[in-house]
Amino acid sequence: MTNIPATPEMRLKRVRMMADYQFGKGAGGVLFDDDAAFLLSKTKRIRQVHSGGERIATVRARDGFFTLSMEGARRLHSYLKAPAMRVVVTDEAAPFAAKGKTAFCKHVLSIDTDLRAMEEVMVTDKNDKLLATGQLVLSPKEVISSETGPAVFIRNGIEKEEKEEKNEE
């Protein structure tokens, strides 16, 4: 079987389908504009998707699911209505989440019950302000019933991102 080179259009269609599967129908079109650019691995697999000069998402090598940048989370947050893909934290925990610190179970006010452990989530405050993005550690049922331990390993926080942008200037 010959190896047919993938065109940018084919890659775009593929990442949009992957995002629709992971985040829900229509998410791929919201996350990835027609100008999407792809960073490929040595084996020509998609590793990162960029749009407008910014990283939107990275493909996790171990399972093929996306991890979101803050820009990707912003796009998804504006598209998905609460409580979809969200973990809501207390006012006390919100500043820490925004700085990229782990969100603990005791600080979770509510959570999308359709989520599963290890899924990519958006962390918000009680007013649905996007604070961070990260990976859910436990199932929603475990998060709600637990008083100790991490709920979300936060990868990117809005304040952490702003600080890095200032350092680049």
Side-chain angles (χ1 to χ4, degrees), residues 6 11 37-48:
R11 288 189 181 110
F38 304 94
L39 182 65
L40 306 177
S41 69
K42 289 180 186 178
T43 58
K44 305 295 182 214
R45 291 186 179 181
I46 299 167
R47 285 292 160 235
Q48 292 184 358

Side-chain angles (χ1 to χ4, degrees), residues 6-34 36 38 46 49 57 59 63-66 76 79:
T7 64
E9 293 80 18
M10 292 169 63
R11 288 189 181 110
L12 181 60
K13 184 177 178 182
R14 181 181 192 136
V15 296
R16 283 179 172 168
M17 283 191 306
M18 291 165 55
D20 285 352
Y21 175 78
Q22 184 175 350
F23 302 114
K25 188 172 180 146
V30 170
L31 282 172
F32 308 119
D33 297 332
D34 291 338
F38 304 94
I46 299 167
V49 185
V59 179
D63 61 9
F65 284 108
F66 289 114
L76 200 58
Y79 174 70

Side-chain angles (χ1 to χ4, degrees), residues 5 15-17 24-25 29 37 49-50 55 60 62 67 69 75 86 105 109 112-113 115 117 132 142 165:
V15 296
R16 283 179 172 168
M17 283 191 306
K25 188 172 180 146
V49 185
H50 294 252
R55 181 180 66 85
R60 283 194 307 230
R62 75 169 185 255
T67 63
S69 68
R75 291 177 183 200
R86 288 167 171 80
C105 293
L109 293 173
D112 177 2
T113 55
L115 290 170
E142 292 170 317
E165 285 175 0

Side-chain angles (χ1 to χ4, degrees), residues 85-165:
M85 304 299 293
R86 288 167 171 80
V87 175
V88 181
V89 296
T90 62
D91 290 340
E92 177 183 72
F96 295 99
K99 290 177 184 169
K101 307 292 183 187
T102 299
F104 289 90
C105 293
K106 68 181 181 179
H107 296 121
V108 173
L109 293 173
S110 66
I111 185 170
D112 177 2
T113 55
D114 292 332
L115 290 170
R116 288 172 277 165
M118 310 313 282
E119 277 194 301
E120 190 74 5
V121 296
M122 297 175 288
V123 179
T124 65
D125 67 10
K126 64 184 177 189
N127 298 318
D128 199 35
K129 178 185 174 201
L130 181 63
L131 301 171
T133 181
Q135 188 175 36
L136 186 62
V137 179
L138 305 168
S139 72
K141 197 175 199 176
E142 292 170 317
V143 170
I144 292 165
S145 65
S146 193
E147 282 295 313
T148 61
V152 180
F153 286 137
I154 293 180
R155 187 174 297 102
N156 300 303
I158 55 170
E159 288 184 23
K160 183 179 174 185
E161 177 190 65
E162 290 168 0
K163 185 178 177 183
E164 288 172 359
E165 285 175 0

